[in-house]
Amino acid sequence: MFLDERIVTLFKRNAHHTLTYWSVFFSFGLCIAFLGPTILDLQCQTNSTLSQITWVFFAQQFCLLIGSSIAGVFKKTLFRALSALFVSALTISIIFAIIPVCNNVLVLAIAMAVSGFAMGIIDTIANIQLVTIYQRDSAVFLQALHFFIGFGALVSPLIADPFLSETGCGNHTGNATEIIHPFRNMPRNSPIAMHDITQLPHPEGGEESNVHYAFWIMALINLPVPLAVLFLMYREQLIPFCSSGTPRLLDKDELAMENQQGAEGTDVEQKEHETGGHGDIFSCCRNDNLRGLPVSFFMIHILGGGVLFMTDGIVGAYAGFVYTYGVSPPLSLPNKTAGYLASIFWAAITVGRLLSIPLAYRFQPVRLLMFSLAGAIVTCLMLLIFYDNRPFLFAGTGLCGLFLSCIFPCMLAYTEDILDYQGCATSVLVTSAGMGEMVMQVVVGSIIQNGSYSFPLCGVIIACIGFILFIALLLFSRMHRNYLTGTSKKSTMVEEPATEQNGSAKTEQKEEPESS
């Protein structure tokens, strides 16, 4: 069989919860990918410069970081977890509906900040609950979970593409503003195109933007997701006017782990409670039981988070600015053609995560991580070498998405397995990934204005740093395994003499009646 019977049984037992978590990740992907292709239309809608609109990315990612950091407090009960997911998914639909009326960049940034906060809650809760339910078998289900991010992120640019304006700012006639690529359809050597573009006015009488229709369509497409969460709450009898009687989330997770690992599941949950595992990032840092743990325990969290800081930073920056890179010299792609770059990138991520589901079952996460990081470096380097080659830009975009697709779920499964599901790896990694997207989007958005050549150069540098951090993670993971092996040997040696002493004492007690 493709999967063994045990994993199929686990999925059937937790199918409703698992499918619900997968669906809310579709909302996550839908919301994370639309800014890239629509950035020019939103820039014109808000009458802002490129540097100003870049801070909309920052607002979204910063609040995503906050949301993912504190979301662990909602996972204590099923009611809290599902209520948070319902509100977050519904918020994303509302934000999609109101973006077309945000005519000021500050208002747009606030709207994106709210959506980012909702995305952070979705990211943390869904990852934590799947890891808690499936434990050592979570790699397969995490790959499927992140497939739905890619699927939502693929749908978003495809919906937006037919409504993007070809000429930029439509009928806007504002004053001089900073645009990195006006007149993008002009010949490359045109005197106007070679002129200092920072003082050029918006073109008058241009094509009217219809991008607001795209946002309203995305709001409707996303609406079934909060309804699905609400239906699960109804099935679990968690809606206030329904009588309760169904086990809470922790009870269901214990049942799943009991079938999977027997009595071992209860011990895992007790250890998790003692060490503060899978909580919010702040409770993890305050945990008193962290004292006395080896340096390798902390370095695994730090280095694992560092790898995702870099790789998810590439994903966020590439998805956000590959469109801008494509329409800028020397590539100077037409607006509509460049709009397909984001779709190709997210399609590659979607396909890559779909392929990673069987690969995660066949291969260890560390091997997939090594292959993916090396491939990402080679692809970014080739994009840098052929920076003015249009066909390779499309091919490289697809390859980049394929190699980056499985890094996050593999890293999550790898670090949790090393730590025996007793640390705060999920919270730390989710927070680090969100922080990486936030920082790298701002950094790349600032650097790309100095020349489009800097865009692939940033990708090479970031990917190389991520690979170096991964090599360091391998070293510390080996140290931590040696520490755990030594600890288990010491505990065994302590137990054996105690057993011998108890045995000798019982023998003496038996001999005493005989002597009397």
Side-chain angles (χ1 to χ4, degrees):
M1 288 183 63
F2 176 69
L3 296 175
D4 61 41
E5 193 65 28
R6 179 175 54 85
I7 293 181
V8 174
T9 302
L10 280 173
F11 174 73
K12 289 180 179 178
R13 186 178 298 275
N14 301 279
H16 200 166
H17 287 272
T18 304
L19 292 173
T20 301
Y21 301 143
W22 289 351
S23 69
V24 293
F25 253 48
F26 174 80
S27 293
F28 186 102
L30 199 66
C31 197
I32 204 172
F34 75 87
L35 271 178
T38 61
I39 187 171
L40 294 183
D41 291 85
L42 291 176
Q43 176 188 343
C44 299
Q45 174 182 305
T46 57
N47 190 22
S48 59
T49 65
L50 183 62
S51 60
Q52 290 173 340
I53 203 71
T54 299
W55 286 99
V56 175
F57 288 95
F58 176 82
Q60 184 188 51
Q61 295 299 328
F62 179 73
C63 288
L64 190 154
L65 175 63
I66 296 176
S68 61
S69 300
I70 69 173
V73 301
F74 297 110
K75 66 101 185 179
K76 301 298 182 182
T77 65
L78 182 58
F79 176 74
R80 288 186 183 181
L82 293 183
S83 296
L85 291 178
F86 170 73
V87 173
S88 299
L90 184 61
T91 299
I92 290 176
S93 283
I94 295 173
I95 293 300
F96 277 134
I98 67 174
I99 282 178
V101 299
C102 296
N103 295 322
N104 182 279
V105 69
L106 179 60
V107 176
L108 179 62
I110 294 173
M112 295 310 302
V114 174
S115 69
F117 186 79
M119 293 162 61
I121 292 176
I122 289 173
D123 197 7
T124 298
I125 290 180
N127 279 292
I128 285 178
Q129 299 304 338
L130 277 185
V131 169
T132 304
I133 291 173
Y134 294 105
Q135 292 286 305
R136 297 187 183 278
D137 297 307
S138 60
V140 175
F141 299 98
L142 286 172
Q143 292 288 356
L145 178 72
H146 289 267
F147 160 79
F148 282 92
I149 288 184
F151 181 60
L154 169 63
V155 170
S156 187
L158 291 177
I159 294 173
D161 182 72
F163 302 99
L164 296 177
S165 59
E166 185 66 35
T167 56
C169 290
N171 293 327
H172 176 68
T173 58
N175 294 328
T177 185
E178 177 190 3
I179 308 175
I180 195 170
H181 43 273
F183 307 107
R184 48 186 167 264
N185 293 321
M186 285 190 174
R188 187 178 305 175
N189 297 323
S190 169
I192 298 179
M194 298 296 292
H195 192 266
D196 182 9
I197 63 176
T198 60
Q199 299 300 323
L200 288 174
H202 293 293
E204 298 189 20
E207 179 186 354
E208 183 69 26
S209 174
N210 295 316
V211 75
H212 54 278
Y213 292 118
F215 292 115
W216 292 337
I217 293 173
M218 284 186 278
L220 291 175
I221 290 177
N222 184 69
L223 197 56
V225 176
L227 295 178
V229 179
L230 191 64
F231 178 67
L232 179 59
M233 295 179 68
Y234 173 77
R235 285 283 304 272
E236 294 294 331
Q237 300 183 10
L238 293 173
I239 299 177
F241 53 81
C242 294
S243 59
S244 60
T246 304
R248 292 296 185 262
L249 180 61
L250 293 182
D251 300 327
K252 281 185 169 292
D253 293 345
E254 288 174 3
L255 182 61
M257 288 189 289
E258 185 177 348
N259 284 275
Q260 176 184 351
Q261 299 175 331
E264 197 176 301
T266 305
D267 297 336
V268 169
E269 188 167 334
Q270 289 176 351
K271 290 178 182 178
E272 181 182 308
H273 178 72
E274 292 172 359
T275 58
H278 302 135
D280 62 277
I281 191 71
F282 303 108
S283 63
C284 291
C285 296
R286 293 194 305 266
N287 196 342
D288 294 335
N289 291 316
L290 296 178
R291 297 175 183 175
L293 291 173
V295 175
S296 59
F297 178 86
F298 301 99
M299 291 304 298
I300 288 171
H301 287 82
I302 294 172
L303 293 172
V307 173
L308 291 186
F309 182 93
M310 297 300 167
T311 55
D312 269 49
I314 296 177
V315 173
Y318 201 93
F321 293 102
V322 67
Y323 176 81
T324 304
Y325 173 64
V327 298
S328 303
L331 293 165
S332 301
L333 291 171
N335 190 19
K336 294 287 186 181
T337 304
Y340 290 113
L341 289 170
S343 299
I344 292 173
F345 181 70
W346 287 112
I349 288 181
T350 304
V351 173
R353 285 172 175 166
L354 185 62
L355 295 175
S356 298
I357 296 174
L359 292 177
Y361 179 70
R362 300 291 181 183
F363 300 98
Q364 295 179 348
V366 64
R367 295 185 178 181
L368 294 177
L369 284 169
M370 181 71 73
F371 177 77
S372 299
L373 287 168
I377 292 175
V378 173
T379 302
C380 291
L381 185 60
M382 296 297 289
L383 285 169
L384 178 63
I385 295 174
F386 301 102
Y387 72 97
D388 58 349
N389 188 298
R390 289 184 176 185
F392 188 79
L393 175 61
F394 287 89
T397 297
L399 288 174
C400 190
L402 283 174
F403 286 119
L404 292 172
S405 60
C406 70
I407 292 179
F408 184 94
C410 284
M411 181 61 69
L412 189 60
Y414 177 61
T415 51
E416 285 282 13
D417 185 49
I418 294 173
L419 299 171
D420 199 22
Y421 307 92
Q422 298 178 29
C424 295
T426 300
S427 299
V428 171
L429 295 185
V430 170
T431 303
S432 300
M435 188 182 298
E437 290 189 25
M438 175 188 69
V439 173
M440 293 306 172
Q441 282 181 346
V442 174
V443 170
V444 174
S446 301
I447 293 177
I448 196 174
Q449 299 182 68
N450 300 323
S452 60
Y453 183 80
S454 58
F455 180 72
L457 180 62
C458 288
V460 174
I461 296 173
I462 297 170
C464 289
I465 295 175
F467 188 79
I468 293 172
L469 293 175
F470 176 68
I471 297 300
L473 174 64
L474 295 180
L475 298 176
F476 278 99
S477 64
R478 177 173 296 182
M479 292 173 55
H480 192 68
R481 291 186 189 278
N482 293 336
Y483 165 80
L484 293 177
T485 303
T487 303
S488 62
K489 287 182 179 179
K490 289 180 181 179
S491 61
T492 304
M493 293 174 63
V494 170
E495 290 176 0
E496 287 179 354
T499 304
E500 292 176 359
Q501 291 176 3
N502 293 334
S504 61
K506 291 179 180 179
T507 303
E508 292 176 359
Q509 290 176 358
K510 290 181 180 180
E511 291 177 353
E512 285 179 1
E514 294 177 2
S515 60
S516 61

